[in-house]
């Protein structure tokens, strides 16, 4: 190969590398400015905070198969923290609500149930293991010190189809 051909190839490779890095950089800038994370879909555990229920994705408007407010969360919920595991069973939610959860629509869980299948910094040091409810989504639900919590237990709880994942 001649010296001239080698220089042209090197310039072409450098130009392609520079262009590729520029496109990647622009993508990161756009993602940062729009509040999106390119890495989030690939993170095993994801966590979000919503000031109010209306800030959170609902089953009707979420494009994600698992990332939406459970049906039992009241519309006056605020200070909502959610953490989920995208690969293993694991979901925890905490929120405040003046009206509380409509427990008439829930079913008491028989016997003791273990703690949550995953941890989250917003969970209290001790969650109850008895006197729990399930509200159709396969999670234990309880009120602790005026704050509502829901979590996937270490031992599975029966769920109604469609309440845990979007089916449409």
């Amino acid at each position: 190969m001649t010296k001239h051909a080698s220089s042209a190839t090197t310039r072409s490779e450098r130009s392609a590398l520079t262009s590729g890095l520029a496109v990647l950089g622009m993508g990161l800038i756009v993602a940062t400015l729009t509040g999106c994370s390119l890495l989030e879909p690939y993170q095993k555990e994801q966590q979000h905070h919503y000031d109010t229920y209306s800030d959170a994705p609902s089953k009707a408007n979420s494009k994600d198969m698992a990332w939406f407010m459970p049906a039992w969360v009241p519309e006056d919920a605020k200070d909502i923290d959610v953490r989920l595991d995208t690969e293993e069973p694991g979901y925890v939610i905490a929120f405040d609500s003046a009206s509380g959860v409509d427990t008439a629509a829930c079913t008491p869980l028989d016997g003791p149930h273990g703690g949550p299948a995953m941890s989250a910094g917003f969970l209290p040091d001790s969650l109850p293991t008895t006197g729990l409810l399930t509200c159709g989504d396969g999670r234990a639900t309880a009120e602790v010190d005026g704050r509502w919590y829901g979590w996937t237990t270490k031992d599975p709880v029966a769920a109604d189809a469609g309440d845990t994942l979007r089916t449409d």
Side-chain angles (χ1 to χ4, degrees):
M1 183 180 313
T2 66
K3 183 176 179 184
H4 180 70
S6 176
S7 292
T9 301
T10 303
R11 270 185 268 152
S12 293
E13 289 171 350
R14 246 183 299 173
S15 177
L17 179 60
T18 303
S19 295
L21 289 173
V23 168
L24 178 61
M26 287 303 292
L28 290 174
I29 289 168
V30 169
T32 301
L33 292 175
T34 61
C36 297
S37 170
L38 295 176
L39 299 177
E40 183 175 76
Y42 307 106
Q43 293 176 342
K44 181 177 176 342
E45 293 183 2
Q46 298 176 18
Q47 185 167 324
H48 290 284
H49 175 83
Y50 304 100
D51 291 330
T52 66
Y53 181 89
S54 62
D55 295 332
S58 71
K59 193 171 183 177
N61 70 14
S62 176
K63 293 181 175 143
D64 191 301
M65 291 299 288
W67 200 263
F68 57 87
M69 288 293 99
W72 55 269
V73 175
E75 290 185 13
D76 74 340
K78 60 185 180 183
D79 191 21
I80 305 165
D81 290 299
V82 182
R83 184 173 177 96
L84 67 83
D85 189 315
T86 61
E87 296 174 9
E88 302 290 330
Y91 179 97
V92 290
I93 186 170
F95 58 89
D96 294 324
S97 168
S99 65
V101 172
D102 178 7
T103 58
C106 302
T107 305
L109 291 173
D110 292 329
H113 287 270
M118 69 181 302
S119 63
F122 56 81
L123 290 174
D125 291 335
S126 179
L127 284 169
T129 58
T130 59
L132 302 172
L133 302 169
T134 184
C135 299
D137 64 357
R139 299 179 186 116
T141 304
E143 183 180 14
V144 178
D145 296 328
R147 189 158 167 85
W148 285 92
Y149 297 92
W151 64 94
T152 305
T153 58
K154 291 177 185 174
D155 298 319
V157 172
D160 295 336
D163 278 346
T164 302
L165 294 175
R166 248 177 12 127
T167 55
D168 53 342

